[in-house]
Amino acid sequence: MSNDCIFCKIIEGVIPSNQIHSDDLCVAFPDINPKTKVHILIVPTKHIPTIKDLGHEDEKLMGHLIGVARDIAKKENLEGYKLQFNVGEKGGQEVFHIHLHLMGN
Ligand code: AMP
Ligand code: ZN
C-alpha cells in the first residue's frame, strides 16, 4: 500500500469504484475516462509502481491479470480487444501502480 496511490485507495474502498471483479490477487473496474466502448483496468492488489519494478516472484501475478482480462472480455462479448501496459512517463503511464488496460469496441 502506498499512501498517495489512487489505485491503492480504490482497492481499499477509500475511493469508490464500480468493481466488476475482485479476487485475492487483483481487482477490475471501468476506466473513468474510457478510450473505447469497453475500457476496463485490471489492477493487482499489490502496489508495484511499474513493469520495470517487477520481480520474478510476480510472474504468476502478471499471468493472472491476463487471464482475468480474457475472462472479462468473454463476459463482455468482445470478439477482439487490446491489452496494454503503459510503462513510465514516456510510455504514457499516469498512475504509478501497475494496471492492465482492456480495451474493446
Ligand atoms: P495510465 O496512463 O496507463 O497510467 O492509465 C491510468 C488510467 O487510469 C487512465 O486511463 C485514467 O483514465 C484512469 N483513472 C484515473 N483515475 C481513475 C479512477 N479514479 N477510476 C478509474 N480510472 C481512473
Ligand atoms: Zn498503489
Side-chain angles (χ1 to χ4, degrees):
M1 162 73 181
S2 165
N3 284 337
D4 294 330
C5 174
I6 189 162
F7 285 175
C8 281
K9 286 178 182 159
I10 286 175
I11 289 159
E12 293 212 328
V14 179
I15 293 175
S17 77
N18 248 333
Q19 275 191 21
I20 57 167
H21 171 92
S22 119
D23 60 39
D24 52 343
L25 293 177
C26 71
V27 301
F29 49 84
D31 195 294
I32 203 168
N33 182 21
K35 284 153 193 87
T36 49
K37 200 165 85 184
V38 175
H39 186 171
I40 290 159
L41 303 175
I42 297 100
V43 185
T45 46
K46 179 180 177 185
H47 179 89
I48 308 168
T50 82
I51 290 283
K52 297 177 196 175
D53 303 305
L54 285 171
H56 288 300
E57 69 278 13
D58 300 314
E59 281 172 9
K60 193 177 157 207
L61 169 63
M62 299 310 285
H64 180 73
L65 300 185
I66 293 170
V68 168
R70 174 206 55 209
D71 293 347
I72 294 171
K74 193 173 177 190
K75 275 188 203 141
E76 297 281 344
N77 289 315
L78 294 177
E79 208 179 306
Y81 47 90
K82 290 183 182 177
L83 296 178
Q84 181 172 318
F85 289 106
N86 296 327
V87 185
E89 268 176 47
K90 289 193 174 172
Q93 186 175 3
E94 289 172 6
V95 177
F96 283 77
H97 178 136
I98 285 181
H99 50 283
L100 177 59
H101 293 261
L102 164 62
M103 292 178 287
N105 285 301

